[in-house]
Amino acid sequence: MAKFEKANSVGEWLDQRLNTTALTKVLMTEYWIPKDINFLWAMGVLLAVTFKILVISGLFLMMYYKPDVNLAFDSVNYTIMQEVAYGWLFRHMHGVAASVVFLIIYIHMFTGIYYGSYKQGREMIWISGMLLFMTFSAAGFSGYMLPWGQMSYWAAMVITNLFGGVPVIGDALVVWIRGDFNVADATLTRFFMLHVFLLPIVIMGIIGLHFYTLRIPHVNNQKGEEIDYDAEAEKYLTGNKKEAKVIPFWPVFISKDFAILGIFLIFYFYLVFFHYNFAMDPVNFDPADNMVTPAHIYPEWYFLWSYEVLRGFFFDVGPVKAFDIGLAAFGFANVIFLLLPWLDRDTKILPAHKRPMFFIWFWVLMADLIVLTIWGKLPPTGTNAWIGFAAAMLFIILFLVLPIVTKIDAKKRGE
Amino acid sequence: MSNETNRRDFLGYTFAAVAAVGGAASLVGMKQVWDPLPSVLAGGFTTVELSGLKAGEPQTFMWRGKPIFVLKKTTDMEDNSRDLLIGDDRFTVAIGLCTHLGCIPAWKKNMWKCACHGGEFNPSAEQVFGPPPRPLDLPPFSVKGTSIVLGEEGPEYKKIAAAMMA
């Protein structure tokens, strides 16, 4: 055993046993952040806080929620909303945070795309981030089911049916996932397990991985400048703080994050107290009924773009069924972002406004995603069907031309 | 085993073998936990009386938690190989879940229209518009006089199912 001497303080006692001084340096006071980053880089901290809000509000909801098809609806809409003191608050905090977390994820993701933060050395940051997006999507969907309203039921019906598109075993797979011939009690209880235990644990694990992936390539900056972190950190530590291009995460950089977090939390609680309805679809206040489909069903706003890609293909092409084309396009939309580091053929890390063709590509993608999101909520008939088809096609084409677009930019710069 | 294999390697290989058997066995168990329960599988028979149906007005029945459409066809609705003939009456029997993603289409005048993704099915349950890849599915049934028992595969069902495959 190592040699221990009498400690003069609690801090020293802990330091001898847990090496807390070195740990704080690595994690906080000597974790270096470039000076040249703007408010968009605060989204990571906002996400960490929003996830904590989700976990804590979820714990309080779980104490009264009953995962049983006969009890679930009332346990949410009567017990939690009417009887439990501040039950309404925890429900609205949970519901609003579930929606807002996707808004921040999208801003975080598109900031990364705009500044090229997924490239050359930062691939693992990007991949772990996309894995987080996928597990958050699964957690969002499994949680949406739990109040057992009409939208919950039919969302579960449609999403589980998607697995019917798997060749050969599709139909059996759907029954296996549901644990019944249709969406029923067995489905509710297993999705409850996924939502309150398995998926949160997986998310926490990937968050750890996501933080770790940042440590070696370090965080990107507004100009995409390559920084010699050892040299810059040395400057800072020797007192030349003005010329050093880096600052420590704690307590210097985090103060900016806290300022932005403050604004975000005001916005978030404004929604919780005054506009919680946007996250509560009226249809979901009807109890689930397996014999009546609501006139028009649609997912929450954050899934609308990929939902529209799925249903954008409404006609058969030769022997290929519209259903299979839609499903393939949906699969494409959900994995293509993962491959972004390899689709971008530009040899340099530069922000989009320094890459003329990519700049256009980026904003066309933004516009297309907005169109897909809006049309995802409209009934898929007449002209709407064709607009949806065009937007879905454009989405696919954008990713097919990305290698060419980025190559042209690099060539124009003479590389 | 060669001469270079020592006792630690042997322990490693032995543990790997035990772990592989145990791992495979647990996967089988985990898979089966998610299978439908016996009580779910057993609750599968529903009798539907067809004599009271009005031509041109489909009725919806419930079988295994799923809606079943039964339509007595009017004389001007065209014949189809999946028609169920009982006496002089022609019936369409179908699982009332859109073959696209499983919403329940609603009967509008002379066809089933699915509100979710715009699929349409004619009175013979064939898809005529939109994303559905195939006609509405045929539930297994057997004929007893003027009623049908859903969940049993009778000769009439086998004939229609064969006609649909062709």
Side-chain angles (χ1 to χ4, degrees):
Chain A
M1 199 166 84
K3 195 168 171 242
F4 286 80
E5 278 161 22
K6 188 176 170 356
N8 293 313
S9 69
V10 178
E12 211 175 291
W13 189 89
L14 284 173
D15 190 36
Q16 287 177 2
R17 283 150 186 84
L18 298 172
N19 222 351
T20 41
T21 310
L23 193 69
T24 321
K25 275 189 182 172
V26 172
L27 292 181
M28 316 263 273
T29 58
E30 291 187 14
Y31 168 42
W32 302 103
I33 305 287
K35 279 179 181 170
D36 182 29
I37 59 181
N38 58 33
F39 76 97
L40 290 166
W41 269 268
M43 299 304 138
V45 165
L46 301 198
L47 281 172
V49 172
T50 315
F51 181 65
K52 267 188 208 117
I53 292 176
L54 279 166
V55 171
I56 293 167
S57 58
L59 287 176
F60 282 86
L61 293 174
M62 204 163 51
M63 289 189 264
Y64 285 96
Y65 175 75
K66 295 192 166 65
D68 179 307
V69 286
N70 298 311
L71 305 172
F73 186 81
D74 285 342
S75 76
V76 174
N77 290 293
Y78 178 69
T79 312
I80 290 173
M81 291 301 284
Q82 310 285 333
E83 283 199 287
V84 178
Y86 291 108
W88 56 271
L89 177 62
F90 286 108
R91 191 203 180 178
H92 288 158
M93 281 177 69
H94 200 73
V96 172
S99 202
V100 167
V101 84
F102 280 94
L103 176 67
I104 309 295
I105 286 177
Y106 283 136
I107 297 175
H108 195 51
M109 202 173 136
F110 291 113
T111 303
I113 297 179
Y114 187 91
Y115 289 101
S117 305
Y118 48 88
K119 296 173 65 174
Q120 282 101 315
R122 296 200 178 90
E123 293 90 344
M124 281 312 298
I125 304 177
W126 180 257
I127 290 169
S128 59
M130 285 311 298
L131 291 177
L132 273 175
F133 175 71
M134 288 172 185
T135 39
F136 264 98
S137 299
F141 161 62
S142 56
Y144 193 59
M145 239 190 95
L146 302 185
W148 208 243
Q150 271 290 65
M151 274 298 196
S152 301
Y153 185 89
W154 292 97
M157 182 69 134
V158 170
I159 302 281
T160 49
N161 253 332
L162 282 178
F163 293 93
V166 175
V168 190
I169 57 163
D171 290 339
L173 187 63
V174 172
V175 172
W176 184 72
I177 289 171
R178 290 176 180 164
D180 203 324
F181 298 108
N182 66 335
V183 175
D185 198 58
T187 327
L188 177 62
T189 48
R190 69 186 52 175
F191 276 66
F192 175 71
M193 176 282 288
L194 289 172
H195 184 70
V196 304
F197 181 75
L198 190 57
L199 290 170
I201 289 282
V202 171
I203 287 174
M204 287 173 202
I206 309 178
I207 288 176
L209 172 68
H210 194 55
F211 286 174
Y212 176 53
T213 57
L214 270 166
R215 292 313 167 100
I216 296 152
H218 290 276
V219 68
N220 193 14
N221 54 73
Q222 279 195 77
K223 295 200 193 86
E225 187 185 354
E226 254 180 58
I227 296 173
D228 182 342
Y229 276 82
D230 292 333
E232 299 300 325
E234 191 58 36
K235 274 189 207 166
Y236 188 94
L237 289 170
T238 51
N240 192 359
K241 295 184 183 178
K242 201 172 168 192
E243 271 174 41
K245 287 177 180 167
V246 297
I247 46 173
F249 176 73
W250 186 282
V252 186
F253 178 73
I254 194 80
S255 60
K256 183 174 179 174
D257 273 358
F258 280 145
I260 296 156
L261 181 63
I263 296 167
F264 167 74
L265 286 176
I266 291 168
F267 164 73
Y268 165 73
F269 279 103
Y270 167 73
L271 291 177
V272 168
F273 288 114
F274 301 105
H275 281 286
Y276 52 83
N277 269 349
F278 88 94
M280 306 272 152
D281 196 285
V283 180
N284 223 24
F285 288 93
D286 292 331
D289 183 346
N290 61 344
M291 296 300 280
V292 182
T293 311
H296 184 47
I297 68 163
Y298 41 81
E300 289 290 278
W301 71 267
Y302 41 85
F303 291 143
L304 284 171
W305 66 273
S306 61
Y307 180 70
E308 187 60 19
V309 171
L310 170 73
R311 69 176 191 177
F313 299 89
F314 57 90
F315 48 84
D316 299 351
V317 179
V320 190
K321 297 287 184 197
F323 176 81
D324 298 320
I325 304 172
L327 209 59
F330 180 72
F332 177 88
N334 282 286
V335 298
I336 198 64
F337 279 103
L338 258 176
L339 301 177
L340 208 56
W342 294 277
L343 293 175
D344 187 335
R345 307 297 300 161
D346 201 325
T347 44
K348 274 224 172 80
I349 299 171
L350 287 170
H353 54 261
K354 295 268 176 66
R355 305 160 71 186
M357 295 285 282
F358 180 77
F359 186 74
I360 299 168
W361 182 91
F362 178 84
W363 288 110
V364 172
L365 175 67
M366 288 297 103
D368 191 42
L369 288 171
I370 291 167
V371 168
L372 285 169
T373 301
I374 295 169
W375 263 264
K377 192 138 188 177
L378 297 175
T381 45
T383 330
N384 286 343
W386 286 101
I387 292 172
F389 168 72
M393 275 306 286
L394 178 60
F395 179 85
I396 293 171
I397 291 167
L398 276 172
F399 281 92
L400 296 180
V401 300
L402 182 60
I404 306 164
V405 165
T406 47
K407 197 98 195 172
I408 294 172
D409 274 334
K411 266 210 181 124
K412 269 195 190 156
R413 285 198 314 271
E415 283 159 25
Chain B
M1 271 185 225
S2 73
N3 292 334
E4 325 237 309
T5 311
N6 59 36
R7 282 197 290 180
R8 279 168 213 286
D9 289 340
F10 175 75
L11 284 173
Y13 295 137
T14 316
F15 174 72
V18 172
V21 171
S26 1
L27 280 180
V28 171
M30 289 181 199
K31 187 261 169 196
Q32 293 195 358
V33 166
W34 276 39
D35 280 339
L37 301 175
S39 55
V40 168
L41 294 172
F45 301 100
T46 305
T47 305
V48 175
E49 176 59 44
L50 301 183
S51 56
L53 294 182
K54 278 196 198 131
E57 290 176 26
Q59 295 277 323
T60 306
F61 303 92
M62 193 163 86
W63 167 70
R64 286 184 176 175
K66 294 177 185 180
I68 303 296
F69 292 163
V70 182
L71 169 68
K72 183 172 170 184
K73 285 184 157 181
T74 58
T75 42
D76 47 324
M77 285 175 180
E78 61 182 35
D79 286 351
N80 190 284
S81 58
R82 78 179 279 179
D83 288 352
L84 168 64
L85 294 166
I86 297 180
D88 292 336
D89 297 328
R90 290 177 297 134
F91 292 91
T92 297
V93 180
I95 297 178
L97 296 173
C98 178
T99 47
H100 180 221
L101 289 175
C103 294
I104 303 176
W107 180 257
K108 298 272 160 76
K109 260 200 250 172
N110 57 355
M111 63 171 67
W112 282 285
K113 285 193 179 187
C114 184
C116 293
H117 305 100
E120 293 178 1
F121 300 89
N122 69 15
S124 304
E126 286 170 328
Q127 79 281 23
V128 288
F129 177 79
R134 60 178 191 276
L136 292 177
D137 292 323
L138 184 70
F141 63 84
S142 64
V143 179
K144 301 256 160 68
T146 58
S147 60
I148 56 173
V149 180
L150 293 162
E152 292 177 344
E153 295 190 5
E156 294 86 354
Y157 163 81
K158 283 182 181 145
K159 205 177 117 203
I160 292 175
M164 281 173 70
M165 290 294 284

